[in-house]
Amino acid sequence: MASIIRRPFNYTFKKATFAIILINVAIYLLEKIFPEIMFYLSLNVRNVLGYGMYWEPFTYMFVHGNFQHILFNMIALFFFGLSVERALGTKEFLLMYFVCGILGGLFSLCFYFLTGLFGVYLMGASGAVYSMLLAYAVIFPRNKIWIWGIIPVPAPILVLAYAIIEIISEVTGFRSGIAHTVHLAGFAFAWMYFVIRMGINPAKIWKDAYR
């Protein structure tokens, strides 16, 4: 079983990141014409468990609430996703992106169900995008990311900082309306993906890079 899970793909680089971005943009434009799309594609407990809309843990990744929402997600996907795809290959990138995104959706579905948040509609690619941020930090642990174009931050430190911010925001309710749980799930599932699928411990990679 372990050999099947870790069997590598033949390397190809098809720039699928651009295809994902285009699909997100196309669906966002459709939302402006047909707003009801958001109801059918966003992830909601009642929709999934009550009305059998079982596609929503997948489709929620392509729905965005406003221009700022999709803009920042797609910029992050472009910078981090394309680098990860180039490093891992298109097939591995797609598998990781969608596995982490879908698992993030299922985790959020369970969280909303158990906490009684039946009225929440989860949307956005940020869970999958956060998984790409962690993947970038594991693949390029010594790379620096320039915050606002002026502050260089090592990629692993940025991941840690974001994780702390998301945990604090979730506990305190700061920046309400933002799905902090799916962001954290994106980090967590990407971490597990590296351990289970690739036999790589991100903590060891970061420790070796800065020892």
Side-chain angles (χ1 to χ4, degrees), residues 52-113:
M53 298 182 185
Y54 300 123
W55 57 83
E56 290 187 350
F58 171 75
T59 58
Y60 84 97
M61 293 186 284
F62 298 97
V63 185
H64 291 83
N66 54 50
F67 179 73
Q68 184 181 24
H69 190 196
I70 190 172
L71 177 65
F72 286 111
N73 273 346
M74 294 304 100
I75 289 175
L77 179 56
F78 172 77
F79 282 109
F80 300 122
L82 193 62
S83 295
V84 171
E85 182 184 356
R86 184 179 289 108
L88 298 182
T90 296
K91 295 177 182 178
E92 195 72 56
F93 160 76
L94 288 173
L95 181 63
M96 184 177 191
Y97 183 88
F98 287 115
V99 164
C100 292
I102 293 170
L103 289 177
L106 292 173
F107 175 84
S108 298
L109 180 68
C110 294
F111 177 80
Y112 295 150
F113 176 78

Side-chain angles (χ1 to χ4, degrees), residues 39-55:
F39 173 80
Y40 291 103
L41 299 185
S42 302
L43 192 154
N44 174 264
V45 173
R46 289 194 183 96
N47 285 357
V48 176
L49 302 182
Y51 301 116
M53 298 182 185
Y54 300 123
W55 57 83

